[in-house]
Amino acid sequence: MNVSIPNSIAARDKAFALHPFVDPLANIEPMVITHGKGVRVFDEEGRSYIDAVAGLWCASLGFDNERLARAAYEQMRKLPFYHAFTGKTNQPLVDLSERLVQLAPSPMSKVFLANSGSEANDTAIKLIWYYNNALKRPEKKKIIGRLRGYHGITLATASVTGQVINHTSFDLPLARFHHVQTPVFYHNGMPGESEEDYASRCAKELDDLIVAEGPDTVAAMFMEPIMGGGGVIVPPHTYYEKIQAVLRRHDVLVVADEVICGFGRTGSYWGSQTVGIEPDILTCAKALSAAFLPISAVLIGQKIVDAVAEETHAIGTFGHGFTYSGHPVPAAVALETLKIYDEENIISRAAETGQFLQAELKRRLAGHPLVGDVRGAGLIAGVEIVADKAERRNFAPADKIGPTLVRLCEANGVILRSCPNDTIALSPPLIINRAETTEIIDRMESGLDLIHATLRSGKPAMAAA
């Protein structure tokens, strides 16, 4: 087969690569990233960008770190690979598992290592089903997620994910998966209703769902402490307290998805500590290795471990695992990442910068004619653009307000992300400083001003870009 090979990297990309979250017929010109330094990445023409979303919420230590590169190299020279099947192990696997149990926000017993947030959450789902089979509760298998929640992209995790784009034409969600409302007080709170009253209403909705389905059929609920890809949703005051009371009453497991929120993103070591979740299972990834290599982890509570162990003993083996579960090189990099967080006070420094980010976004952007809501915690924030501030009415998706602002900021050296309801998400590397934070907000403010002026002139927002 003779194939004509284009010359440029971008043309070759368009010819041969299928990308996630892209319309392949939209003729979008790829941005070729060649290298990074600190919080900045550089394209093939040498242009510099502050990556204000840390890649995909994950490059916590930025885009160059000699310690992490050295940790990977040294482990590759010593033991470049070994598996964890049939009782085999390696020191980085053991050391990392031990450290994660020590760091857990609530008591955990064992750690299962995988390669991505999706794999971690998929493993959690399988463990939950296995656990209930061990307890002779074969019907207690239903999983609850939240609309606009994001928990991964495998068949199972995309089913607990509550985003239509991840379901459409994939024949998802699968059976056994249910969703409750997005806990966004800005849109769903009723006139005169307090945040606490709204939280009570959310808890009642959950309770009603469990009762309607039958408590003996509902196994677990997955929760991001702060919902990332759904638009940086910070649930209302007392929400998690009331939600967990419902779950405990019906013997439904609590799963904290810390893939985005873990390791300092929200101002605490874990997002669960920021919002008050006490999980039975915790999943993490992304900042676990500062995104230098793929790795994820499932932290598992004692009662689940005990039941799984008994069931496995009866069966004869635990029939789950991945070739790269506990791969020594990513595990070594993750261990070094955790050491850097401690030794360089990354979490406390990020919390301080996060306070500055949240305050400056509110001070400079909350009053803008196009900004309806500014929300977040620590170094994760969302700025929601609206057509009518008084009515809290969003623009039509076809207006592409969020994507237009992203393009404008990108043209001025800042990479952002547009989420549902034209919410612009920020989650910069934890090492970002105040000057770089201010630069991000400067670009956002300029872009919003240009879009506003374009709309006032009667032109579509896209004309601004």
Side-chain angles (χ1 to χ4, degrees), residues 34-353:
T34 60
H35 63 287
K37 185 71 175 177
V39 302
R40 299 176 189 270
V41 293
F42 299 81
D43 67 17
E44 61 181 346
E45 296 181 10
R47 289 185 293 248
S48 167
Y49 307 84
I50 295 179
D51 192 325
V53 281
L56 288 173
W57 326 81
C58 54
S60 54
L61 296 177
F63 297 92
D64 69 313
N65 189 289
E66 184 62 29
R67 286 181 61 174
L68 297 184
R70 177 61 57 181
Y73 173 75
E74 291 178 352
Q75 184 59 48
M76 283 184 175
R77 291 295 303 271
K78 183 177 182 180
L79 180 67
F81 164 74
Y82 214 74
H83 63 84
F85 283 52
T86 62
K88 308 301 189 296
T89 195
N90 59 78
Q91 186 168 346
L93 181 161
V94 175
D95 290 347
L96 180 59
S97 298
E98 179 181 24
R99 186 65 181 134
L100 286 172
V101 168
Q102 293 169 348
L103 290 169
S106 60
M108 294 291 169
S109 175
K110 289 190 183 294
V111 172
F112 179 90
L113 295 175
N115 309 290
S116 69
S118 291
E119 284 187 5
N121 282 325
D122 198 278
T123 295
I125 292 167
K126 291 180 71 176
L127 283 171
I128 291 160
W129 289 346
Y130 200 92
Y131 165 75
N132 279 297
N133 283 332
L135 297 182
K136 312 303 180 190
R137 303 189 302 196
E139 301 302 316
K140 198 171 178 66
K141 302 291 175 60
K142 294 174 184 175
I143 306 290
I144 298 174
R146 297 180 293 191
L147 297 175
R148 288 171 62 179
Y150 187 88
H151 300 284
I153 216 67
T154 65
L155 286 172
T157 60
S159 295
V160 71
T161 287
Q163 300 195 29
V164 173
I165 194 64
N166 304 124
H167 296 163
T168 304
S169 294
F170 290 112
D171 292 348
L172 297 174
L174 301 172
R176 294 181 171 177
F177 292 88
H178 300 266
H179 298 87
V180 291
Q181 68 177 289
T182 311
V184 53
F185 182 67
Y186 176 72
H187 283 297
N188 294 343
M190 298 176 67
E193 187 177 41
S194 69
E195 284 197 30
E196 290 83 354
D197 289 342
Y198 174 57
S200 296
R201 185 155 57 86
C202 290
K204 184 179 186 304
E205 177 200 22
L206 174 64
D207 189 65
D208 289 347
L209 173 63
I210 294 172
V211 170
E213 293 294 324
D216 58 339
T217 72
V218 180
M221 182 172 180
F222 278 66
M223 301 179 288
E224 303 163 84
I226 292 176
M227 299 167 69
V232 188
I233 306 300
V234 183
H237 183 59
T238 71
Y239 172 85
Y240 284 113
E241 174 188 340
K242 293 173 179 177
I243 288 292
Q244 288 178 106
V246 172
L247 298 175
R248 300 303 183 201
R249 184 163 64 250
H250 294 299
D251 192 18
V252 175
L253 296 174
V254 175
V255 183
D257 180 341
E258 294 268 9
V259 171
I260 287 176
C261 294
F263 309 104
R265 175 58 59 191
T266 66
S268 305
Y269 207 100
W270 301 100
S272 293
Q273 294 165 325
T274 298
V275 301
I277 298 175
E278 296 180 359
D280 299 297
I281 296 174
L282 181 149
T283 60
C284 59
K286 295 190 183 292
L288 173 57
S289 67
F292 269 56
L293 284 174
I295 189 168
S296 63
V298 186
L299 283 60
I300 313 159
Q302 187 67 58
K303 68 178 182 180
I304 300 167
V305 167
D306 289 344
V308 167
E310 290 293 332
E311 182 74 358
T312 297
H313 183 67
I315 294 170
T317 192
F318 181 58
H320 176 74
F322 307 103
T323 300
Y324 302 117
S325 293
H327 191 298
V329 180
V333 171
L335 274 167
E336 191 68 14
T337 300
L338 299 182
K339 290 177 184 177
I340 291 171
Y341 291 156
D342 290 342
E343 294 169 12
E344 300 184 15
N345 298 316
I346 296 295
I347 308 302
S348 59
R349 286 166 48 195
E352 291 178 6
T353 310

Side-chain angles (χ1 to χ4, degrees), residues 377-453:
L379 283 175
I380 182 169
V383 177
E384 185 169 340
I385 305 171
V386 294
D388 190 306
K389 288 173 72 87
E391 296 182 2
R392 302 185 176 186
R393 176 171 54 84
N394 293 105
F395 286 92
D399 293 332
K400 297 187 180 298
I401 301 294
T404 298
L405 180 58
V406 168
R407 286 197 297 273
L408 287 170
C409 290
E410 201 167 275
N412 286 292
V414 170
I415 295 174
L416 295 164
R417 178 170 177 171
S418 180
C419 293
N421 284 6
D422 292 318
T423 297
I424 305 303
L426 299 89
S427 63
L430 302 183
I431 61 171
I432 196 166
N433 60 37
R434 289 193 175 200
E436 293 159 340
T437 302
T438 298
E439 187 174 342
I440 293 169
I441 300 172
D442 287 345
R443 300 296 182 268
M444 292 181 68
E445 188 172 33
S446 296
L448 285 165
D449 287 344
L450 182 54
I451 292 173
H452 187 233

